[in-house]
Amino acid sequence: MTTDASRIAGLAPAALRQLIEDGRGPRLLDVRTPGEFRTVHIPGSHNVPLDSLREHRAEFLTHLDQDVVLVCRSGARAAQAEQALAEAGLPHLRVLDGGMTAWEAAGAPVNRGEARWDLERQVRLIAGSVVLVTGVVGMLVPGVHLIGTVIGAGLTFAALTNTCAMGMMLSKLPYNRGPRTDVRTVIASLRDRS
């Protein structure tokens, strides 16, 4: 099975909005952290964080069909979710092109909660701060600047593999977790819609 992004079917925000307005809206699975989901999400979407989706994908398979759109902030985590579900036997999923960033830019409707920083912004803050501090301290203490080099290597690897270890670690913090997603409740909701 190929794993390149070219096999992932995308859905433009305008097309998804039209499907929803016409009453033909697909099931929306938002794979961001509960904290990100609580900040802003598409009305009617179900929050299933990427880790939970991977862990319980077999349970979801019997309640999902081809009319599913995966959503995250920019599309990267949704693409990972699509790959995980495809490997488990559910092909032909779609990913919201540009994620919530594009959805909001298009002026599409959202439900808003308490504002929080998204994971990508948190990663930029942590990585940038580490590089800045180690660069300054490195002028006084030889070798400390190499920590920044390691962070740079990690960010390069993250870009090449479309994964982010720092983001995965940050997603485990209480700030990002929010209330834990109850997988059984999401599955029951999907079953009720069938």
Side-chain angles (χ1 to χ4, degrees), residues 57-132:
R57 63 185 167 190
E59 297 168 58
F60 281 103
L61 288 181
T62 58
H63 303 290
L64 297 176
D65 52 27
Q66 292 184 19
D67 200 18
V68 175
V69 175
L70 300 162
V71 179
C72 67
R73 181 184 175 279
S74 64
R77 284 179 277 175
Q80 292 175 37
E82 186 275 340
Q83 182 178 353
L85 289 171
E87 288 171 357
L90 186 64
H92 311 297
L93 299 165
R94 294 180 286 177
V95 171
L96 177 61
D97 290 336
M100 284 301 298
T101 301
W103 182 260
E104 287 185 278
V110 296
N111 288 343
R112 291 200 184 277
E114 179 185 345
R116 295 170 181 258
W117 282 18
D118 59 57
L119 276 180
E120 183 179 312
R121 186 174 182 190
Q122 293 175 51
V123 167
R124 290 191 314 251
L125 174 69
I126 299 299
S129 297
V130 169
V131 170
L132 176 65

Side-chain angles (χ1 to χ4, degrees), residues 125-144:
L125 174 69
I126 299 299
S129 297
V130 169
V131 170
L132 176 65
V133 169
T134 59
V136 171
V137 172
M139 289 189 281
L140 303 171
V141 179
V144 171

